[in-house]
Amino acid sequence: MVPDEQVVQLVEFETDNSSITGEMTITIDLVDADGGTRISAVHDGLPEGVPPDQNELG
């Protein structure tokens, strides 16, 4: 964690479905923007069983 700049979260999927098990790292960057904060989230290690388009919806 970098205060006011970045949060890195490790997510571990707990399920009986082997296509979506494992760990994923989510890196969230916070950037000053006009009137607020712009948030960018990058997901690394997305399990094969999670279609990227469905992850984008979440």
Side-chain angles (χ1 to χ4, degrees):
M1 178 175 213
V2 179
D4 301 321
E5 291 182 25
Q6 187 179 71
V7 176
V8 179
Q9 179 181 14
L10 179 65
V11 177
E12 184 172 355
F13 295 91
E14 295 181 12
T15 178
D16 293 331
N17 183 341
S18 63
S19 72
I20 58 173
T21 58
E23 295 180 347
M24 175 176 65
T25 302
I26 305 170
T27 303
I28 301 169
D29 291 309
L30 310 170
V31 179
D32 286 335
D34 290 336
T37 303
R38 182 173 50 96
I39 298 173
S40 170
V42 175
H43 297 74
D44 292 311
L46 188 66
E48 291 182 20
V50 179
D53 62 328
Q54 288 187 10
N55 188 61
E56 291 290 326
L57 290 174

